[in-house]
Amino acid sequence: MREDVEALDIRDVTANWVNAEVLARQIDERIKALADLSDTPLFFGRLDYLHAPGADRAEGAEGERFYIGRRHVHDADGDPMVIDWRAPVSQPFYRASKKDPMDVALRRRFGYTGGDLTAYEDEHLSDPAEAATTSKLLQQEIERPRVGPMRDIVATIQPEQDEIVRSDLSGSLCVQGGPGTGKTAVGLHRVAYLLYAHRERLSRTGTLVIGPNRSFLHYIEQVLPALGELEVKQATVDDLVAHVEVRGTDEAAAAVVKGDARMAEVLRRAVRSHVTLPTEPVMVVRGSRRWRVPAYELEDIVKELLDRDIRYGAARDALPQRIAHAVLVQMERSGEAPDDRVQDAVARNTAVKAAVKAIWPPVDPAKLVLRLLTDADFLAEHARDVLTDDEQKTILWAKPARSVKTAKWSAADAVLIDEATDLVQRTHSLGHVVLDEAQDLSPMQYRAVGRRCTTGSATVLGDLAQGTTPWATRSWQEALAHLGKAEAHIEELTAGFRVPTDVITYASRLLPHIAPGLTPVASVRENPGFFDVRPVENDTRVIAACEELLRNEGSVGLIAADARVPALAEALTAAGIGYLAPGEETTYEARLTLVPASLAKGLEYDYVVLDEPRAVVDGEPDERTGLRRLYVALTRAVSGLIVTHAAPLPPQLA
């Protein structure tokens, strides 16, 4: 298939050089999409139907066989050899069961080692004599050691995951999922499915995956390309709102107030305050004639634009046309017959432009936010009955900046500027947005993301128990309302495929203290995993635990409170053990990653050493946030976890 594309001759099919460039780029993208992936088989399953799909079963139509894979593969004649996992005919591979065989006689799973076919496993779903069994190959694939970036799960998608993946594009979806339930993978595979089912629409409107940080995005960045999808963009929320350079940080109390949805009303008032009702008429001179638009008529025009509550910039653009229209009405009454060109000329008249500048001046969003944060009177005027006096004092800067460029903006300030920018000019909307680790977003950050999908849909992924910011989400209903998707359907994944039974059982001791309403994750893995809690005297014993786990196959993560990372880095270096930073790709030669607890979210390792749980809790502004951070750190292991501690463990783990 790749050679056929490479051999295409486009010299005689392009009308001009522009078409040629576009077509050449499309061919290059197609070649990239057809690239071989090492150790990745083209097919992983087979379905033998009792009857040909779509055929009339009453006529005794013969069955049909399909091989299921990551990509559609056809032979030299164009006949399909492997069916894309997203095709409707592939759906029973994930959904069929002994109770509902979906007309499938046989489902075969193939096992691979390093790209070589090494095993297969059959289920005769329509045979009443055969009992339902748990797939050994499925368990092996789920538990396979993880080295390198996150990989796709097309061979192991479960029925409840498949329902979410294949949900319709028209509706937004929120997935609450505990550690190891596969919510991130489900979100990414949903993007791949939607691009398959609605390619033309989404190629026109665009798709975006939003993650919590760069390390996380680097970890997941190969999943979609492995499925042949190269056009999906990835970003963090900070990337979306990067109108200014972020060089400062906020105290937790200030960040909470700045992230509160009430700030949207403060900004709206501040933007609209620039409008001044006219007190003078506008005199337009054209040739020997003068046309006067009285102040009361101008006031009516301005009030009508304000009442429509459209974007500030759009209303400002409309104002000169409205004034010009008032002049044209007078011209017509006097017997003239002006056309659109005359109206445009009047709108560009010097007197009209001067009136618009005085009535509806341009607003710079960054300057507006800077004034709100540095001018106590200006903030008080527009935050009246919205923010308390103490809240206003909390967000005011102690040292006012001279200009937008010299200001030490924080991440929360950048979100405020994005809100103000949208009040002035509408933000471009995409066709579909996937928002992962959403539980850590503030209401204002939700609004920033929601602006990017006002005319599209969203898939929101997260776990309320893993919210580790002071403004973490309290309920998905509240979060979805801020996102502008209050009608979104909420699904909950409770079956754990990644975290071993003993590990998730231990971590779930924290749930009553951090998210009492959530259902604990139930591990479906037969292997309980390796788990141990060890008192240690010094860092040497922590390093010894890492060396012990490195004797196993797969990746190892040493997770510690951020303040402990420098000391552990020094101890690893002294022991002659190389290590990676989060986001750096593990290889068979470098399998140990030193992970600050603040960056552990969303990452996974075959084995984890968790250093000093008490320090992880104490590293956060309050105990609840600290316990949530600890919950995240405890649930990063796929095969085994060693908890080391010199200080007493938090009592919630007792």
Side-chain angles (χ1 to χ4, degrees), residues 96-99 107 109 120-125 127-139 158-159 524 526:
S97 64
K98 292 293 290 183
K99 289 183 178 180
R107 173 168 57 198
R109 301 182 192 273
Y120 68 89
E121 183 181 75
D122 289 346
E123 297 172 86
H124 298 87
L125 298 177
D127 183 357
E130 184 176 293
T133 57
T134 302
S135 169
K136 298 293 184 185
L137 285 181
L138 194 63
Q139 287 287 335
Q158 299 300 292
V524 298
E526 294 182 347

Side-chain angles (χ1 to χ4, degrees), residues 45-57 60-68 79-81 83 89-90 92 102-108:
R46 191 182 104 187
L47 288 177
D48 292 3
Y49 278 87
L50 290 171
H51 308 87
D56 188 350
R57 300 182 187 182
E62 293 186 6
E64 200 166 350
R65 174 178 298 169
F66 299 95
Y67 285 86
I68 313 300
D79 294 325
M81 299 176 68
I83 305 298
V89 77
S90 303
M102 301 176 70
D103 201 43
V104 172
L106 179 141
R107 173 168 57 198
R108 173 170 291 178

Side-chain angles (χ1 to χ4, degrees), residues 519-577:
T519 304
V521 172
S523 179
V524 298
R525 292 173 51 171
E526 294 182 347
N527 180 3
F530 171 72
F531 173 65
D532 196 12
V533 179
R534 299 179 183 175
V536 296
E537 300 82 27
N538 50 49
D539 291 347
T540 304
R541 300 298 298 274
V542 178
I543 305 307
C546 294
E547 291 177 313
E548 176 186 335
L549 294 180
L550 283 168
R551 298 188 194 109
N552 300 309
E553 184 183 2
S555 57
V556 177
L558 171 54
I559 302 177
D562 292 30
R564 290 270 298 144
V565 168
L568 292 173
E570 189 176 322
L572 286 169
T573 302
I577 301 175

